[in-house]
PDB file of all heavy atoms in Angstrom:
ATOM      1  N   SER A 750     -14.772  64.239 -44.468  1.00  0.00           N
ATOM      2  CA  SER A 750     -14.977  63.065 -43.610  1.00  0.00           C
ATOM      3  C   SER A 750     -14.363  61.831 -44.248  1.00  0.00           C
ATOM      4  O   SER A 750     -14.383  61.668 -45.477  1.00  0.00           O
ATOM      5  CB  SER A 750     -16.472  62.835 -43.388  1.00  0.00           C
ATOM      6  OG  SER A 750     -17.116  64.020 -42.958  1.00  0.00           O
ATOM      7  N   ILE A 751     -13.832  60.952 -43.394  1.00  0.00           N
ATOM      8  CA  ILE A 751     -13.286  59.693 -43.898  1.00  0.00           C
ATOM      9  C   ILE A 751     -13.965  58.509 -43.221  1.00  0.00           C
ATOM     10  O   ILE A 751     -13.537  57.365 -43.390  1.00  0.00           O
ATOM     11  CB  ILE A 751     -11.760  59.623 -43.688  1.00  0.00           C
ATOM     12  CG1 ILE A 751     -11.431  59.677 -42.193  1.00  0.00           C
ATOM     13  CG2 ILE A 751     -11.050  60.739 -44.427  1.00  0.00           C
ATOM     14  CD1 ILE A 751      -9.964  59.470 -41.881  1.00  0.00           C
ATOM     15  N   GLY A 752     -15.028  58.784 -42.448  1.00  0.00           N
ATOM     16  CA  GLY A 752     -15.688  57.728 -41.693  1.00  0.00           C
ATOM     17  C   GLY A 752     -17.091  57.439 -42.177  1.00  0.00           C
ATOM     18  O   GLY A 752     -17.431  57.659 -43.349  1.00  0.00           O
ATOM     19  N   ARG A 753     -17.947  56.995 -41.269  1.00  0.00           N
ATOM     20  CA  ARG A 753     -19.283  56.515 -41.608  1.00  0.00           C
ATOM     21  C   ARG A 753     -20.358  57.573 -41.435  1.00  0.00           C
ATOM     22  O   ARG A 753     -21.541  57.275 -41.546  1.00  0.00           O
ATOM     23  CB  ARG A 753     -19.593  55.277 -40.751  1.00  0.00           C
ATOM     24  CG  ARG A 753     -18.593  54.151 -41.002  1.00  0.00           C
ATOM     25  CD  ARG A 753     -18.846  52.937 -40.143  1.00  0.00           C
ATOM     26  NE  ARG A 753     -17.789  51.957 -40.322  1.00  0.00           N
ATOM     27  CZ  ARG A 753     -17.728  50.784 -39.709  1.00  0.00           C
ATOM     28  NH1 ARG A 753     -18.689  50.439 -38.862  1.00  0.00           N
ATOM     29  NH2 ARG A 753     -16.721  49.960 -39.933  1.00  0.00           N
ATOM     30  N   GLN A 754     -19.933  58.812 -41.147  1.00  0.00           N
ATOM     31  CA  GLN A 754     -20.842  59.957 -41.135  1.00  0.00           C
ATOM     32  C   GLN A 754     -20.152  61.099 -41.874  1.00  0.00           C
ATOM     33  O   GLN A 754     -18.925  61.212 -41.847  1.00  0.00           O
ATOM     34  CB  GLN A 754     -21.189  60.371 -39.696  1.00  0.00           C
ATOM     35  CG  GLN A 754     -21.944  59.323 -38.920  1.00  0.00           C
ATOM     36  CD  GLN A 754     -22.271  59.767 -37.492  1.00  0.00           C
ATOM     37  OE1 GLN A 754     -22.115  60.923 -37.124  1.00  0.00           O
ATOM     38  NE2 GLN A 754     -22.734  58.817 -36.680  1.00  0.00           N
ATOM     39  N   TRP A 755     -20.968  61.921 -42.542  1.00  0.00           N
ATOM     40  CA  TRP A 755     -20.411  63.036 -43.272  1.00  0.00           C
ATOM     41  C   TRP A 755     -21.373  64.215 -43.254  1.00  0.00           C
ATOM     42  O   TRP A 755     -22.506  64.098 -42.809  1.00  0.00           O
ATOM     43  CB  TRP A 755     -20.020  62.640 -44.702  1.00  0.00           C
ATOM     44  CG  TRP A 755     -21.194  62.336 -45.623  1.00  0.00           C
ATOM     45  CD1 TRP A 755     -22.424  61.877 -45.290  1.00  0.00           C
ATOM     46  CD2 TRP A 755     -21.203  62.484 -47.047  1.00  0.00           C
ATOM     47  NE1 TRP A 755     -23.214  61.707 -46.401  1.00  0.00           N
ATOM     48  CE2 TRP A 755     -22.481  62.076 -47.502  1.00  0.00           C
ATOM     49  CE3 TRP A 755     -20.261  62.895 -47.982  1.00  0.00           C
ATOM     50  CZ2 TRP A 755     -22.842  62.094 -48.855  1.00  0.00           C
ATOM     51  CZ3 TRP A 755     -20.618  62.901 -49.333  1.00  0.00           C
ATOM     52  CH2 TRP A 755     -21.901  62.501 -49.751  1.00  0.00           C
ATOM     53  N   TRP A 756     -20.874  65.376 -43.699  1.00  0.00           N
ATOM     54  CA  TRP A 756     -21.662  66.596 -43.738  1.00  0.00           C
ATOM     55  C   TRP A 756     -22.257  66.773 -45.128  1.00  0.00           C
ATOM     56  O   TRP A 756     -21.584  66.585 -46.140  1.00  0.00           O
ATOM     57  CB  TRP A 756     -20.813  67.815 -43.404  1.00  0.00           C
ATOM     58  CG  TRP A 756     -20.469  67.938 -41.956  1.00  0.00           C
ATOM     59  CD1 TRP A 756     -19.357  67.440 -41.340  1.00  0.00           C
ATOM     60  CD2 TRP A 756     -21.220  68.616 -40.946  1.00  0.00           C
ATOM     61  NE1 TRP A 756     -19.369  67.749 -39.994  1.00  0.00           N
ATOM     62  CE2 TRP A 756     -20.500  68.492 -39.730  1.00  0.00           C
ATOM     63  CE3 TRP A 756     -22.423  69.315 -40.944  1.00  0.00           C
ATOM     64  CZ2 TRP A 756     -20.949  69.029 -38.533  1.00  0.00           C
ATOM     65  CZ3 TRP A 756     -22.874  69.863 -39.742  1.00  0.00           C
ATOM     66  CH2 TRP A 756     -22.143  69.728 -38.559  1.00  0.00           C
ATOM     67  N   VAL A 757     -23.539  67.164 -45.174  1.00  0.00           N
ATOM     68  CA  VAL A 757     -24.255  67.392 -46.426  1.00  0.00           C
ATOM     69  C   VAL A 757     -24.859  68.796 -46.377  1.00  0.00           C
ATOM     70  O   VAL A 757     -25.360  69.230 -45.323  1.00  0.00           O
ATOM     71  CB  VAL A 757     -25.364  66.335 -46.635  1.00  0.00           C
ATOM     72  CG1 VAL A 757     -26.126  66.604 -47.928  1.00  0.00           C
ATOM     73  CG2 VAL A 757     -24.759  64.931 -46.642  1.00  0.00           C
ATOM     74  N   LEU A 758     -24.819  69.501 -47.486  1.00  0.00           N
ATOM     75  CA  LEU A 758     -25.433  70.825 -47.580  1.00  0.00           C
ATOM     76  C   LEU A 758     -26.861  70.682 -48.083  1.00  0.00           C
ATOM     77  O   LEU A 758     -27.099  70.185 -49.187  1.00  0.00           O
ATOM     78  CB  LEU A 758     -24.629  71.721 -48.515  1.00  0.00           C
ATOM     79  CG  LEU A 758     -25.234  73.108 -48.797  1.00  0.00           C
ATOM     80  CD1 LEU A 758     -25.334  73.922 -47.515  1.00  0.00           C
ATOM     81  CD2 LEU A 758     -24.419  73.844 -49.863  1.00  0.00           C
ATOM     82  N   HIS A 759     -27.826  71.099 -47.270  1.00  0.00           N
ATOM     83  CA  HIS A 759     -29.241  71.149 -47.684  1.00  0.00           C
ATOM     84  C   HIS A 759     -29.537  72.568 -48.140  1.00  0.00           C
ATOM     85  O   HIS A 759     -29.322  73.531 -47.397  1.00  0.00           O
ATOM     86  CB  HIS A 759     -30.152  70.770 -46.524  1.00  0.00           C
ATOM     87  CG  HIS A 759     -31.602  71.063 -46.800  1.00  0.00           C
ATOM     88  ND1 HIS A 759     -32.398  70.210 -47.535  1.00  0.00           N
ATOM     89  CD2 HIS A 759     -32.398  72.114 -46.443  1.00  0.00           C
ATOM     90  CE1 HIS A 759     -33.617  70.716 -47.609  1.00  0.00           C
ATOM     91  NE2 HIS A 759     -33.634  71.876 -46.957  1.00  0.00           N
ATOM     92  N   LYS A 760     -30.068  72.684 -49.355  1.00  0.00           N
ATOM     93  CA  LYS A 760     -30.350  74.008 -49.914  1.00  0.00           C
ATOM     94  C   LYS A 760     -31.694  73.964 -50.606  1.00  0.00           C
ATOM     95  O   LYS A 760     -31.891  73.213 -51.562  1.00  0.00           O
ATOM     96  CB  LYS A 760     -29.238  74.417 -50.884  1.00  0.00           C
ATOM     97  CG  LYS A 760     -29.154  75.910 -51.144  1.00  0.00           C
ATOM     98  CD  LYS A 760     -27.842  76.252 -51.829  1.00  0.00           C
ATOM     99  CE  LYS A 760     -27.666  77.754 -51.967  1.00  0.00           C
ATOM    100  NZ  LYS A 760     -26.369  78.106 -52.570  1.00  0.00           N
ATOM    101  N   ASN A 761     -32.643  74.748 -50.126  1.00  0.00           N
ATOM    102  CA  ASN A 761     -33.985  74.835 -50.702  1.00  0.00           C
ATOM    103  C   ASN A 761     -34.196  76.277 -51.144  1.00  0.00           C
ATOM    104  O   ASN A 761     -34.436  77.169 -50.336  1.00  0.00           O
ATOM    105  CB  ASN A 761     -35.033  74.426 -49.669  1.00  0.00           C
ATOM    106  CG  ASN A 761     -36.425  74.316 -50.265  1.00  0.00           C
ATOM    107  OD1 ASN A 761     -36.786  75.060 -51.179  1.00  0.00           O
ATOM    108  ND2 ASN A 761     -37.223  73.390 -49.735  1.00  0.00           N
ATOM    109  N   GLU A 762     -34.079  76.500 -52.454  1.00  0.00           N
ATOM    110  CA  GLU A 762     -34.196  77.864 -52.980  1.00  0.00           C
ATOM    111  C   GLU A 762     -35.596  78.423 -52.776  1.00  0.00           C
ATOM    112  O   GLU A 762     -35.768  79.613 -52.516  1.00  0.00           O
ATOM    113  CB  GLU A 762     -33.837  77.875 -54.474  1.00  0.00           C
ATOM    114  CG  GLU A 762     -32.403  77.479 -54.778  1.00  0.00           C
ATOM    115  CD  GLU A 762     -31.415  78.534 -54.334  1.00  0.00           C
ATOM    116  OE1 GLU A 762     -31.835  79.635 -53.958  1.00  0.00           O
ATOM    117  OE2 GLU A 762     -30.199  78.235 -54.330  1.00  0.00           O
ATOM    118  N   THR A 763     -36.608  77.557 -52.894  1.00  0.00           N
ATOM    119  CA  THR A 763     -37.993  78.040 -52.754  1.00  0.00           C
ATOM    120  C   THR A 763     -38.242  78.534 -51.342  1.00  0.00           C
ATOM    121  O   THR A 763     -38.786  79.625 -51.124  1.00  0.00           O
ATOM    122  CB  THR A 763     -38.981  76.913 -53.094  1.00  0.00           C
ATOM    123  OG1 THR A 763     -38.710  76.428 -54.411  1.00  0.00           O
ATOM    124  CG2 THR A 763     -40.417  77.416 -53.021  1.00  0.00           C
TER     125      THR A 763
END
Side-chain angles (χ1 to χ4, degrees):
S750 309
I751 62 174
R753 300 178 186 180
Q754 296 180 11
W755 69 332
W756 286 91
V757 179
L758 175 62
H759 169 82
K760 200 166 186 177
N761 188 326
E762 297 290 351
T763 304

